[in-house]
Amino acid sequence: MKSFFKRYTPLQIAIHIYGWSALVLLLIDFFTGNLTANPIQALEQRTGRHAITLLVLSLACTPLNNLFGWRELIKRRRALGLYAFLYATIHVLIFIDLDYGLAWSLIVQTIIEKPYIVVGVLSFLMLVPLAFTSFDIWKKRLGKNWKRLHQLIYLIAPLVALHYAWGKKGDFFRLQGEIIRPLIYASIIIIFLIMRLPQVKKALASARDRIVVLFRKREPQPKVDAA
Ligand code: HEM
């Protein structure tokens, strides 16, 4: 047990527990008939929400490292991103198979008719290359292009938030209906994206340095022997 905790950090353990337990709970609820009156819709919604949550968490790693200097977050981005992709894939498979029974012409018709689904499809298609190239071997192979490719996340995250908000019934301007939750996700995404702008990054880094200096000054200084 001791060696387990030496090998994995608490953050790593927490991420994997979230990643798998959400899926296990979903399967338990599905097989015990513990979903809503519309189980397929419930599955679609829950997998979609896990996907966007994990995507937002992966997006949070870089700005939070810049702000708090918590370097481990950078190492955990990949796991969070891959879990987001896993849930997005299950979400899409549920849509294609359970919801539409692989009726491709109906699927295409729905995609064309509902703009929020077009946005979902676009974001999923962009997630695919990111997931497959997230491993070190691809980082080496693609060189500078790897970073360029992975910057797609700045486009994908707002698109997913749009997909979420657009699919909901509600009044955007009066903040009524089911629009609040998607708006919270969208606001968090916007904050994290702003925190990545070079000027903002610089300002945050200098604020962090000032806080560190302030704390060091407050720490009791060791007494120096006069002799
Ligand atoms: C081929 C791509 C996609 C299709 C066809 C698709 C389809 C759908 C559909 C039909 C719904 C509405 C479910 C309902 O309320 O009845 C939905 C909702 C949602 N989708 Fe997608 N989606 C796609 C991609 C994605 C991706 C890539 C993400 C996230 C990474 C995502 C996240 C969500 C979220 C958060 C919701 C709202 C869940 C809720 O109502 O609580 N979707 N999607």
Side-chain angles (χ1 to χ4, degrees):
M1 201 65 179
K2 243 185 182 178
S3 68
F4 177 83
F5 283 107
K6 260 189 189 167
R7 214 163 140 195
Y8 301 103
T9 65
L11 181 62
Q12 234 174 334
I13 296 169
I15 291 171
H16 293 301
I17 288 179
Y18 175 26
W20 292 114
S21 64
L23 188 59
V24 171
L25 282 178
L26 214 67
L27 288 173
I28 292 175
D29 285 345
F30 180 64
F31 286 111
T32 54
N34 215 4
L35 293 164
T36 58
N38 188 343
I40 294 174
Q41 186 187 41
L43 283 178
E44 232 164 38
Q45 292 180 337
R46 273 170 67 173
T47 48
R49 284 200 297 268
H50 285 306
I52 194 174
T53 305
L54 286 153
L55 198 76
V56 167
L57 288 175
S58 76
L59 204 69
C61 292
T62 304
L64 292 185
N65 168 53
N66 292 341
L67 193 59
F68 301 112
W70 189 6
R71 304 197 112 240
E72 193 199 337
L73 287 173
I74 301 300
K75 288 190 201 159
R76 306 294 160 239
R77 268 184 319 193
R78 179 166 56 198
L80 287 165
L82 283 174
Y83 277 124
F85 180 66
L86 171 72
Y87 282 96
T89 307
I90 300 172
H91 176 72
V92 174
L93 290 176
I94 290 169
F95 171 79
I96 293 175
D97 191 2
L98 295 185
D99 206 356
Y100 282 80
L102 301 175
W104 292 103
S105 58
L106 200 60
I107 291 172
V108 173
Q109 197 187 326
T110 309
I111 293 175
I112 294 167
E113 278 172 7
K114 295 186 177 171
Y116 85 93
I117 305 235
V118 177
V119 176
V121 172
L122 281 179
S123 37
F124 183 70
L125 289 179
M126 284 190 274
L127 267 181
V128 175
L130 295 204
F132 281 95
T133 59
S134 65
F135 301 96
D136 290 340
I137 183 165
W138 278 102
K139 214 173 183 174
K140 269 189 205 151
R141 270 195 201 171
L142 293 175
K144 273 186 184 169
N145 289 330
W146 188 89
K147 203 173 173 187
R148 270 186 221 140
L149 177 68
H150 281 253
Q151 277 173 344
L152 269 182
I153 196 68
Y154 303 133
L155 183 61
I156 296 172
L159 280 182
V160 170
L162 181 65
H163 168 68
Y164 189 178
W166 212 345
K168 287 287 169 197
K169 291 176 195 80
D171 191 328
F172 188 83
F173 295 102
R174 286 192 202 146
L175 294 181
Q176 276 171 355
E178 298 168 273
I179 205 74
I180 299 295
R181 248 207 267 191
L183 274 187
I184 293 173
Y185 276 96
S187 316
I188 296 172
I189 289 171
I190 290 169
I191 291 170
F192 286 146
L193 293 183
I194 289 175
M195 281 170 82
R196 284 172 180 239
L197 294 174
Q199 300 93 323
V200 180
K201 232 159 112 176
K202 243 186 188 175
L204 289 176
S206 76
R208 188 186 75 202
D209 292 346
R210 261 181 272 150
I211 292 169
V212 170
V213 170
L214 207 76
F215 272 98
R216 281 207 187 129
K217 271 188 189 165
R218 282 191 181 176
E219 269 175 22
Q221 299 297 316
K223 279 184 186 165
V224 183
D225 234 340

